[in-house]
């Protein structure tokens, strides 16, 4: 081959595959194109706080500099340097040695040699099993564009793939710890389902891993995405998975008290903009959904209302700080209002900041009825009033919807 691009892309795909299937061992970037101070770079995998990352070591004549980065960022760094800065790239996997080299005229070659096919250690396999909650060979993943026809994760979708796994892992834990664990029919609504990545994944997990008769509905404003997702659902024969075109604020689902089968048990709203998250939570509370999972997107409502105590003026005169405070207060009030309506609620980062800035998750699980319930609701309402009064907040969309 004469053009370097297809060979380089093929090499990057092999790298990405080895990271996905656990055979990656080491990558070395050597022989800098210009004989200046470019260091030799060695990349290995490391587990940091149970997170698989890439350790990039730049070796200078008198010192080494190590940087640990997430897999997508690591792949980006390697892609940026391959052949533009270095003439030799050596990828060692458990099964082969792959060498990419270029000469100064631009001729690129790739050389592959089998190396005895070392088995993954039991420890590594254990890590892999824990990391991957979603089996990579599921056909829907190809339909929604996460994997290619060969079942390999498309490099540009690596972050989404990680997010899907984390999301399913969280939902799995929530379902197992809620009243839904014993229920054979589980209905889910995913508000603002977009391209349906999480909707498909949850539907598949409920049916195949949790053995539920799952009915899953994605609600999405954009009709082209709805059509695309319904087509994909038909192609993979995803029984009980439907996408409807509608607005979160006006698409109504029956409430449990109406004995309708369309009442939902799990409400998902990931990255629904601004007060769309409030609309979704409101619907969940009205439907008495057992589980509420949302990852709020932008927060615009409270910031203009917030009155900052004079002593903190120097902190909040910086717009970025005020924005962060407004986000925090908005979501804390959402959590309190869920608690005031009978839910146990947690707010946490569900995925690393390096993968997405929209990484905050609100997870609420309906409390079992108890004597303490009324007291808990009263206490949460009191806290809502305290926070609002401290910041001078006059209206929070979720509270307005609940009061109406
Ligand atoms: C950022 S995307 C997130 C998609 C998906 N939840 C995910 O996390 O992969 C937000 C989606 O919500 C949709 N959306 C925004 N407001 C909506 C509304 N009021 N009703 C229904 N869908 C809405 C948008 O069209 C978009 O597809």
């Amino acid at each position: 081959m004469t053009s370097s691009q297809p060979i380089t892309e093929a090499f990057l795909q092999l790298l990405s595959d080895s990271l996905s299937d656990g055979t990656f061992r080491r990558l070395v970037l050597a022989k800098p194109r210009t004989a200046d101070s470019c260091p030799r770079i060695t990349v290995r995998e490391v587990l940091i706080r149970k997170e698989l990352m890439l350790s990039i070591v730049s070796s200078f004549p008198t010192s080494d500099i190590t940087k640990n980065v997430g897999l997508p960022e690591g792949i980006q760094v390697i892609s940026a340097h391959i052949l533009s800065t270095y003439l030799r790239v050596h990828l060692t996997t458990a099964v082969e040695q792959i060498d990419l080299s270029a000469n100064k005229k631009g001729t690129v070659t790739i050389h592959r040699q089998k190396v005895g096919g070392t088995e993954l250690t039991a420890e590594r396999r254990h890590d892999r099993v824990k990391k991957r909650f979603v089996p990579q060979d599921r056909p829907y993943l190809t339909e929604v564009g996460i994997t290619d026809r060969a079942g390999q994760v498309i490099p540009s979708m690596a972050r989404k793939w990680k997010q899907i796994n984390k999301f399913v892992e969280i939902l799995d834990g929530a379902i197992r710890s809620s009243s839904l664990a014993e229920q054979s029919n589980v209905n889910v609504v995913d508000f603002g389902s977009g391209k349906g990545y999480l909707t498909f994944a949850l539907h598949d997990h409920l049916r195949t891993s949790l053995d539920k008769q799952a009915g899953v509905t994605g609600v999405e404003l954009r009709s082209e995405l709805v059509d695309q997702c319904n087509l994909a659902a038909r192609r993979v024969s995803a029984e009980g998975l439907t996408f409807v075109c509608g607005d979160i604020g006006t698409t109504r689902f029956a409430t449990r008290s109406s004995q309708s089968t369309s009442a939902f048990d799990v409400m998902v709203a990931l990255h629904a903009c601004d007060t769309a998250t409030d609309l979704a939570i409101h619907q969940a509370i009205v439907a008495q959904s057992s589980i509420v999972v949302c990852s709020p997107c932008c927060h615009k409502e409270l910031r203009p209302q917030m009155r900052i105590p004079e002593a903190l003026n120097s902190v909040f005169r910086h717009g970025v700080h005020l924005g962060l405070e407004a986000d925090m207060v908005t979501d804390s009030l959402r959590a309190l209002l869920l608690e005031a309506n009978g839910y146990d609620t947690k707010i946490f980062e569900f995925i690393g900041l390096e993968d997405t800035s929209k990484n905050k998750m609100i997870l609420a699980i309906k409390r079992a009825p108890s004597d303490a319930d009324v007291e808990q609701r009263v206490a949460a309402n009191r806290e809502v009033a305290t926070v609002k009064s401290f910041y001078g907040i006059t209206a929070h969309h979720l509270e307005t919807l609940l009061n109406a």
Side-chain angles (χ1 to χ4, degrees), residues 209-365:
S209 299
L210 296 179
D211 206 18
K212 306 280 187 200
Q213 283 294 318
V216 179
T217 309
V219 178
E220 169 56 50
L221 268 185
R222 291 169 56 189
S223 63
E224 73 279 13
L225 295 182
V226 172
D227 294 344
Q228 197 178 305
C229 287
N230 277 327
L231 187 65
R234 264 202 305 281
R235 282 213 187 104
V236 294
S237 306
E239 201 187 325
L241 174 61
T242 349
F243 293 83
V244 296
C245 191
D247 190 302
I248 303 171
T250 50
T251 306
R252 290 277 164 247
F253 288 79
T255 58
R256 206 173 294 281
S257 54
S258 69
Q259 300 291 312
S260 166
T261 49
S262 64
F264 54 87
D265 307 291
V266 179
M267 186 289 277
V268 175
L270 259 64
H271 308 147
C273 292
D274 197 17
T275 50
T277 297
D278 297 302
L279 294 170
I281 298 177
H282 176 245
Q283 288 235 32
I285 291 174
V286 171
Q288 296 180 52
S289 176
S290 301
I291 297 177
V292 175
V293 190
C294 41
S295 177
C297 186
C298 39
H299 304 67
K300 298 197 182 115
E301 191 194 15
L302 294 196
R303 186 176 164 154
Q305 299 180 40
M306 281 172 58
R307 198 183 53 213
I308 298 299
E310 212 177 309
L312 294 179
N313 273 349
S314 57
V315 175
F316 292 110
R317 76 187 158 87
H318 304 290
V320 60
H321 288 170
L322 184 58
L324 289 169
E325 185 81 352
D327 290 7
M328 225 159 56
V329 175
T330 306
D331 292 329
S332 303
L333 287 174
R334 286 172 174 154
L336 283 171
L337 289 164
L338 277 158
E339 282 165 23
N341 283 278
Y343 289 83
D344 286 328
T345 309
K346 282 196 282 200
I347 299 182
F348 55 96
E349 281 185 346
F350 84 109
I351 195 138
L353 248 186
E354 69 277 13
D355 290 305
T356 171
S357 56
K358 301 177 195 166
N359 62 348
K360 197 199 282 184
M361 181 165 272
I362 302 177
L363 172 65
I365 300 182

Side-chain angles (χ1 to χ4, degrees), residues 7-28:
I7 303 182
T8 313
E9 276 170 12
F11 181 86
L12 286 170
Q13 185 63 50
L14 290 167
L15 167 65
S16 172
D17 292 349
S18 69
L19 286 165
S20 301
D21 64 20
T23 54
F24 176 83
R25 291 292 174 270
R26 189 182 64 227
L27 180 118
V28 176

Side-chain angles (χ1 to χ4, degrees), residues 358-395:
K358 301 177 195 166
N359 62 348
K360 197 199 282 184
M361 181 165 272
I362 302 177
L363 172 65
I365 300 182
K366 189 114 184 95
R367 279 194 293 268
S370 80
D371 293 347
D373 186 55
V374 173
E375 215 171 286
Q376 282 169 307
R377 288 173 188 243
V378 170
N381 271 322
R382 209 168 28 232
E383 302 236 9
V384 169
T386 307
V387 173
K388 281 177 63 193
S389 134
F390 179 82
Y391 286 105
I393 293 166
T394 49

